[in-house]
């Protein structure tokens, strides 16, 4: 790549904002590793020493990282301990030395050989958890090879200047080391807007683009980059003109965000007096602060998985209880919606039996999994119920409900837990609201049967879209079909809302759609009662709600519901927003006016 | 449980090479913590075993691995309820076995 030509690549906008700065490549697995044969015993002895020193250096690096880990990620520190031990394991350490001595391999090659052997050992295992631990082995080996090859291991914690991080992917271990003050932006080659990196970036308000294929190959260390986390655009070595343009946009954006954030505490009420809820989706209790700062009136979705996945062992009831209690106390008197475990068996860690599933998305997951492993479920329900006694603001929400049967089953189990608690004289909220997520087409079809059995609905559009259209959006071959504005999806939303209202229960929407400003008019028009989204989207969405007219939105929704393709709807929605809220475009999608032709919405569905 | 034959072979050689010599102290244990020997527990075992000079072998279903190798332990796969044999051979065999017994009895500090 030569210095004068700028290059634009596209990814998925994962966390809004514009970052302009130098690239810092967190490249893994693509270093040049010299391989050669040693000549002479002296060379062998030297090489052994070089290897031993590299391991010692890797150890001290790992120790240093361990010390710097933020307290909320203590569990990860323990995993680093495992890596430390792997470095000294006979199968790696002794084996590498043996390759140096016996085969006269240089140290890098020796480590590669012993890693290869270890990998074989792991790949033969039929336990998926155990097999997945090869990641620890690779990480440990990689570190030593990098030290040997004279390339310091790119530790996020080592970055000394403000930079834009470029990586194939950010592991949770990387994410915990992100230095908020020094990270201008993040670009990864894989991932979607719900991947770990995206969530972390959004919660830290760092502009991020994910799924930017080949980014690490096209971008070199130190390149000047413009990263637009709203549109997913990355400009490598931009021209003066681009830079000027984006600096201005950046300023404008910051000013705009500051301004709307100042008004974020105002109610989400349309110009013509229609009030809706503005709630936050959060994953860890610490996010409550961001939620409140951004004007959340409630927690519309507390994802409880993080708590289960981030630890090596099964979280005990006490730990869950403390977590829910803290959340409840922090938000009180505002409601807190706790969603019960929403995971597939494949995501559960060591403490869980492995299942052979060819299609986990349609497998034993979420509420099904909970109903199957009753003790696991009861454990969580007990913790939730106990916490509900504290401030009486907890709502219970079931994910992936497919029919009324699951509601009955859950209620039975809930009753059992309640009886048990009463017997032990442990208090709980008798009237804790009980809701169902609508994210499976069958739930929409029987929404009228579900509604009388629950206290609220919450539409989980991320899954509803995938199950309705029948696509996995992380599958690049069909990702273009991920169309939130597909007429089928819109009809389902309407059907669920209508069924809920018929039965007199509120209907929330907690998918990503709720946080997309572009969708505000259509969702208002579909009569969603409550918008629950990631905290940073709240000011923008609330701002648009306050500037909308419910009457207009209803008329608009009726018009849109008659359209036949997602493209038609998309265009119409964009036109509407552009006309009503021009500054949204000017500030968040600067490209729309300017240079490159950028596809409109992030999932690019341009074909007919 | 299905095991790759190569894998089995490696373990067997480890076992045979040591079985040929003087007798070792052997004790049976049941993995009592709910999660079994996962990576972190394996790390605990290795840390304790590593303090002793004796050779320590951990055997499950006829497969023996070194108690001082985290990779061996991570690939042995011992879920909750597994029965394993620990043998220690060397000058401090009794102490080693006692220390490991304490670890197993405490369920590795886990539920």
């Amino acid at each position: 790549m030569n210095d004068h030509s700028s290059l634009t690549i596209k990814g998925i906008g994962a966390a809004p904002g514009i970052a302009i700065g130098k690239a810092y490549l967190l490249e893994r697995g693509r270093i040049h590793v010299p391989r050669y044969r040693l000549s002479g015993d002296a060379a062998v002895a030297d090489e052994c020493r070089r290897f031993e020193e590299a391991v010692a250096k890797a150890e001290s690096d790992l120790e240093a990282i361990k010390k710097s880990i933020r307290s909320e990620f203590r569990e990860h520190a323990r995993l680093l301990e495992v890596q430390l031990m792997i470095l000294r394991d006979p199968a790696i350490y002794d084996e590498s030395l043996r390759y140096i001595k016996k085969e006269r391999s240089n140290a890098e090659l020796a480590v590669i050989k012993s890693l290869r052997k270890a990998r074989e050992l792991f790949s033969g295992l039929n336990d998926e958890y155990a097999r997945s631990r090869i990641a620890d082995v690779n990480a440990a080996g990689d570190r030593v090879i990098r030290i040997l090859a004279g390339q310091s291991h790119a530790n996020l914690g080592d970055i000394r200047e403000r930079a834009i991080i470029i990586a194939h992917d950010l592991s949770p271990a990387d994410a915990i080391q992100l230095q908020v003050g020094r990270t201008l932006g993040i670009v990864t080659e894989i991932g979607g807007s719900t991947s770990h990196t995206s969530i972390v970036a959004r919660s830290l308000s760092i502009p991020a683009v994910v799924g930017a294929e080949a980014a690490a190959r096209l971008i070199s260390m130190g390149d000047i980059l413009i990263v637009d986390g709203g549109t997913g655009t990355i400009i490598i070595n931009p021209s003066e003109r681009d830079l000027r343009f984006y600096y201005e946009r950046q300023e404008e954006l910051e000013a705009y965000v500051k301004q709307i954030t100042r008004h974020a505490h105002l109610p989400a009420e349309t110009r013509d007096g229609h009030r809706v809820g503005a709630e936050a989706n959060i994953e860890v209790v610490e996010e409550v602060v961001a939620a409140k700062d951004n004007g959340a009136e409630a927690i519309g979705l507390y994802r409880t998985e993080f708590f289960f996945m981030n630890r090596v062992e099964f979280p005990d009831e006490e730990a869950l209880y403390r977590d829910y209690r803290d959340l409840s106390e922090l938000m009180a008197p505002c409601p807190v919606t706790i969603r019960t475990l929403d995971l597939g068996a494949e995501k559960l860690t060591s403490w869980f039996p492995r299942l052979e599933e060819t299609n986990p998305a349609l497998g034993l997951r979420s509420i099904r999994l909970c109903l199957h492993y009753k003790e696991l479920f009861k454990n969580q329900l007990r913790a939730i119920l106990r916490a509900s006694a504290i401030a009486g603001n907890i709502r219970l929400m079931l994910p992936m409900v497919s029919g009324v049967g699951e509601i009955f089953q859950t209620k039975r189990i809930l009753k059992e837990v309640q009886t048990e608690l009463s017997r032990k004289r442990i208090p709980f909220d008798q009237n804790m609201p009980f809701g169902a997520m609508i994210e499976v087409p069958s739930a929409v079809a029987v929404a009228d049967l579900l509604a009388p059995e629950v206290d609220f609905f919450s539409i989980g559009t991320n899954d509803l879209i995938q199950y309705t259209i029948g696509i996995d959006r992380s599958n690049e071959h069909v990702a273009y079909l991920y169309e939130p504005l597909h007429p089928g999806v819109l009809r389902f939303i309407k059907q669920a809302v209508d069924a809920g209202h018929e039965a007199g229960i509120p209907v929330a929407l907690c998918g990503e759609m709720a946080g997309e400003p572009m969708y505000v008019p259509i969702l208002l028009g579909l009569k969603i009662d409550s918008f629950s989204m990631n905290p940073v989207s709240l000011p923008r969405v609330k701002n648009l709600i306050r500037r909308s007219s419910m009457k207009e939105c209803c008329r608009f929704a009726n018009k849109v519901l008659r359209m036949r393709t997602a493209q038609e709807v998309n265009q119409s929605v964009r036109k509407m927003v552009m006309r009503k809220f021009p500054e949204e475009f000017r500030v968040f999608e600067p490209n729309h006016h300017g240079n490159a032709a950028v596809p409109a919405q992030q999932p690019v569905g341009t074909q007919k | 449980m299905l095991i790759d034959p190569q894998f089995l072979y490696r373990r067997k050689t480890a076992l045979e090479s040591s079985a040929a010599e003087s007798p070792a102290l052997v004790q049976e244990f049941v993995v009592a913590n709910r999660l079994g020997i996962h990576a972190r527990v394996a790390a605990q075992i290795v840390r304790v075993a590593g303090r002793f000079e004796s050779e320590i072998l951990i055997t499950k279903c006829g497969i023996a691995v070194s108690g001082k190798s985290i990779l061996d332990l991570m690939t042995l796969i011992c879920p909750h309820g597994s029965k394993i044999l620990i043998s220690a051979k060397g000058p401090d065999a009794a102490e080693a076995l006692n220390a490991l017994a304490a670890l197993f009895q405490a369920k590795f500090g886990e539920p």
Side-chain angles (χ1 to χ4, degrees):
Chain A
M1 170 137 321
N2 80 56
D3 301 355
H4 305 288
S5 71
S6 78
L7 177 70
T8 301
I9 54 178
K10 269 298 277 186
I12 297 165
I18 290 167
I20 302 173
K22 274 190 188 166
Y24 187 97
L25 254 74
L26 197 71
E27 209 187 0
R28 301 259 158 85
R30 249 197 294 274
I31 46 169
H32 172 70
V33 180
R35 294 157 191 244
Y36 50 88
R37 199 168 273 270
L38 306 163
S39 58
D41 292 343
V44 169
D46 281 349
E47 200 67 2
C48 287
R49 199 170 321 117
R50 198 165 75 89
F51 169 75
E52 278 156 14
E53 280 167 12
V55 173
K57 170 83 169 66
E59 275 177 337
S60 64
D61 286 356
L62 280 172
E63 289 290 358
I65 296 177
K66 230 173 78 186
K67 284 202 195 85
S68 71
I69 283 181
R70 300 210 296 268
S71 59
E72 63 263 38
F73 297 111
R74 281 287 163 224
E75 292 295 331
H76 288 293
R78 306 228 168 105
L79 287 175
L80 292 181
E81 238 156 77
V82 172
Q83 276 191 36
L84 272 166
M85 212 160 255
I86 288 170
L87 288 174
R88 292 283 177 189
D89 192 277
I92 302 292
Y93 192 84
D94 299 358
E95 198 69 2
S96 299
L97 282 174
R98 201 182 60 82
Y99 280 121
I100 297 173
K101 288 176 189 153
K102 292 268 157 58
E103 300 188 7
R104 296 181 173 264
S105 306
N106 67 317
E108 288 92 333
L109 185 57
V111 177
I112 287 176
K113 282 181 177 167
S114 55
L115 279 178
R116 197 181 297 148
K117 255 179 111 172
R119 243 175 251 140
E120 270 168 32
L121 190 64
F122 275 83
S123 64
L125 303 174
N126 79 332
D127 179 284
E128 201 190 321
Y129 166 74
R131 210 161 47 225
S132 71
R133 300 324 308 166
I134 187 65
D136 295 329
V137 182
N138 285 337
D142 194 47
R143 189 171 287 277
V144 177
I145 293 173
R146 268 166 209 281
I147 291 168
L148 285 167
Q151 231 177 337
S152 58
H153 197 92
N155 277 338
L156 281 170
D158 292 345
I159 298 176
R160 287 286 160 259
E161 51 179 349
R162 288 158 60 82
I164 296 171
I165 313 270
I166 317 295
H168 179 62
D169 191 18
L170 285 185
S171 66
D174 293 327
I176 57 177
Q177 289 189 66
L178 277 177
Q179 306 178 81
V180 181
R182 293 209 178 98
T183 311
L184 294 172
I186 299 171
V187 174
T188 65
E189 292 184 308
I190 61 169
S193 44
T194 46
S195 64
H196 186 82
T197 307
S198 310
I199 291 164
V200 171
R202 277 197 297 267
S203 72
L204 298 175
S205 295
I206 298 173
V209 174
V210 299
E213 275 174 52
R217 189 164 49 78
L218 297 168
I219 299 169
S220 314
M221 196 77 153
D223 274 354
I224 300 292
L225 298 182
I226 295 173
V227 172
D228 182 345
T231 61
T233 308
I234 302 154
I235 305 178
I236 308 166
N237 293 321
S239 64
E240 276 295 317
R241 202 176 128 254
D242 283 338
L243 278 173
R244 245 194 331 268
F245 179 80
Y246 275 96
Y247 271 125
E248 278 170 28
R249 294 290 89 76
Q250 192 180 32
E251 249 172 55
E252 196 175 0
L253 185 111
E254 274 162 20
Y256 181 76
V257 169
K258 215 178 271 166
Q259 184 217 325
I260 58 173
T261 308
R262 259 202 307 274
H263 298 123
H265 62 280
L266 296 171
E269 186 174 314
T270 62
R271 289 198 326 252
D272 44 355
H274 179 80
R275 173 92 187 251
V276 294
E279 313 183 346
N281 297 347
I282 64 167
E283 213 160 340
V284 288
V285 172
E286 287 78 3
E287 284 178 283
V288 166
V289 182
K292 282 186 155 174
D293 285 352
N294 285 302
E297 300 158 353
I299 300 301
L301 166 62
Y302 178 48
R303 302 187 175 95
T304 55
E305 299 73 43
F306 205 69
F307 206 81
F308 281 76
M309 288 164 66
N310 248 15
R311 43 199 63 214
V312 182
E313 54 209 52
F314 184 85
D316 67 299
E317 183 192 320
E318 230 18 67
L320 292 178
Y321 164 70
R322 279 196 301 272
D323 189 56
Y324 304 155
R325 181 198 60 196
D326 290 353
L327 177 59
S328 162
E329 281 175 347
L330 283 168
M331 275 310 285
C334 301
V336 166
T337 314
I338 299 182
R339 178 178 70 184
T340 59
L341 192 60
D342 185 21
L343 269 186
E346 81 282 2
K347 290 273 179 59
L348 292 172
T349 35
S350 57
W351 39 272
F352 209 76
R354 291 277 148 201
L355 307 168
E356 289 292 334
E357 289 188 311
T358 47
N359 200 342
L362 304 178
L364 188 64
R365 55 187 303 111
S366 308
I367 188 66
R368 306 163 184 182
L369 183 121
C370 288
L371 291 173
H372 193 269
Y373 297 103
K374 252 173 82 175
E375 283 313 308
L376 174 97
F377 196 24
K378 278 186 162 180
N379 196 50
Q380 189 180 27
L381 289 178
R382 247 191 319 267
I384 295 173
L385 279 168
R386 285 172 56 198
S388 74
I390 310 280
N393 61 342
I394 291 181
R395 307 187 284 212
L396 182 73
M397 179 161 83
L398 307 184
M400 222 193 162
V401 171
S402 65
V404 183
E406 283 155 346
I407 300 288
F408 290 157
Q409 261 181 291
T410 305
K411 279 189 174 170
R412 249 194 320 270
I413 295 176
L414 193 64
K415 190 87 221 146
E416 280 173 35
V417 177
Q418 286 173 331
T419 317
E420 206 181 295
L421 289 176
S422 304
R423 212 172 25 230
K424 292 185 190 155
R425 298 182 191 283
I426 298 172
F428 59 88
D429 177 6
Q430 311 264 1
N431 304 313
M432 177 174 67
F434 177 90
M437 281 191 77
I438 303 292
E439 42 187 352
V440 180
S442 64
V444 179
V446 298
D448 58 323
L449 305 177
L450 283 170
E453 302 300 331
V454 297
D455 302 309
F456 63 93
F457 277 164
S458 187
I459 306 177
T461 44
N462 297 11
D463 277 339
L464 184 63
I465 295 166
Q466 300 202 74
Y467 288 125
T468 300
I469 308 178
I471 49 121
D472 167 9
R473 73 162 157 181
S474 62
N475 176 341
E476 51 183 324
H477 305 293
V478 291
Y480 72 92
L481 283 172
Y482 185 85
E483 292 171 322
L485 298 179
H486 189 292
V489 175
L490 297 181
R491 286 180 189 199
F492 273 5
I493 294 175
K494 179 171 167 38
Q495 216 174 313
V497 172
D498 290 351
H501 289 173
E502 188 70 28
I505 60 166
V507 181
L509 193 145
C510 65
E512 267 166 68
M513 276 182 92
E516 171 56 63
M518 208 67 70
Y519 300 158
V520 164
I522 174 101
L523 293 180
L524 275 175
L526 288 169
K527 304 203 175 69
I528 293 290
D529 297 301
S530 211
F531 292 60
S532 193
M533 67 202 81
N534 103 64
V536 294
S537 303
L538 275 163
R540 276 177 79 187
V541 169
K542 280 183 112 174
N543 173 51
L544 290 196
I545 291 172
R546 273 201 311 278
R547 296 178 47 208
S548 298
S549 134
M550 187 60 183
K551 225 170 103 196
E552 267 175 25
C553 290
C554 288
R555 214 179 308 130
F556 177 66
N558 283 334
K559 190 179 94 185
V560 161
L561 279 168
R562 286 194 298 271
M563 292 177 179
R564 294 183 301 172
T565 66
Q567 284 71 42
E568 245 178 291
V569 180
N570 223 322
Q571 263 169 20
S572 166
V573 162
R574 290 178 66 77
K575 236 166 56 200
M576 160 92 170
V577 175
M578 214 184 305
R579 190 162 45 86
K580 292 276 167 198
F581 319 106
E583 72 289 348
E584 273 290 317
F585 272 89
R586 199 180 64 244
V587 175
F588 289 99
E589 285 191 44
N591 269 316
H592 187 77
H593 291 256
N595 26 18
V598 174
Q601 278 297 294
Q602 26 143 318
V604 218
T606 36
Q607 58 220 78
K608 278 268 148 176
Chain B
M1 179 176 293
L2 249 167
I3 291 165
D4 173 49
Q6 239 184 338
F7 174 73
L8 198 64
Y9 174 74
R10 197 178 79 92
R11 309 306 176 138
K12 266 196 181 147
T13 44
L15 185 66
E16 279 155 12
S17 68
S18 59
E21 298 157 38
S22 62
L25 293 176
V26 180
Q27 193 177 336
E28 188 184 71
F29 294 94
V30 175
V31 178
N33 65 321
R34 189 161 32 182
L35 311 176
I37 300 185
H38 54 82
R40 263 181 42 213
V41 169
Q44 285 188 45
I45 296 174
V46 171
R47 200 172 303 124
V48 171
R51 289 207 307 259
F52 300 96
E53 205 183 302
S54 298
E55 182 188 26
I56 292 164
L57 287 178
I58 299 190
T59 312
K60 187 194 142 213
C61 305
I63 300 169
V65 302
S66 165
K68 296 181 182 179
S69 160
I70 188 159
L71 290 184
D72 276 6
L73 281 172
M74 280 162 81
T75 51
L76 188 61
I77 307 183
C78 305
H80 170 81
S82 314
K83 281 197 182 113
I84 61 169
L85 280 178
I86 301 187
S87 72
K89 193 172 60 181
D92 48 8
E95 292 95 315
L97 215 48
N98 280 339
L100 288 167
L103 201 54
F104 274 80
Q105 264 142 28
K107 297 207 283 183
F108 316 104
E110 294 190 350

